[in-house]
Amino acid sequence: MARCIDCPCGHILTADDDEALFQLARQHLREHHPDMKRTDGELRARLAADARDE
Ligand SMILES: [Zn+2]
């Protein structure tokens, strides 16, 4: 089983667990959305609300 979340840009981020997904999302935002300013807390809240099992 994996955890995944859709980025508004159309990317689907997939990782083994919530922590890995958080790291992946951090990296994705840094590389692809440098002007989307999200704190770690905001990002974790978004993942907690919207991440799904796959
Ligand atoms: Zn994206």
Side-chain angles (χ1 to χ4, degrees):
M1 190 184 302
R3 299 285 286 164
C4 60
I5 191 164
D6 300 312
C7 184
C9 73
H11 243 89
I12 301 175
L13 306 176
T14 305
D16 288 340
D17 56 36
D18 284 345
E19 186 57 32
L21 186 60
F22 171 76
Q23 299 295 341
L24 191 66
R26 265 272 76 116
Q27 184 183 357
H28 177 82
L29 287 181
R30 193 165 51 232
E31 292 179 355
H32 296 270
H33 311 289
D35 41 348
M36 193 188 292
K37 303 294 185 201
R38 281 186 191 270
T39 66
D40 286 1
E42 288 168 343
L43 188 55
R44 286 187 189 280
R46 169 91 208 284
L47 294 176
D50 293 342
R52 62 184 185 276
D53 294 326
E54 188 172 83

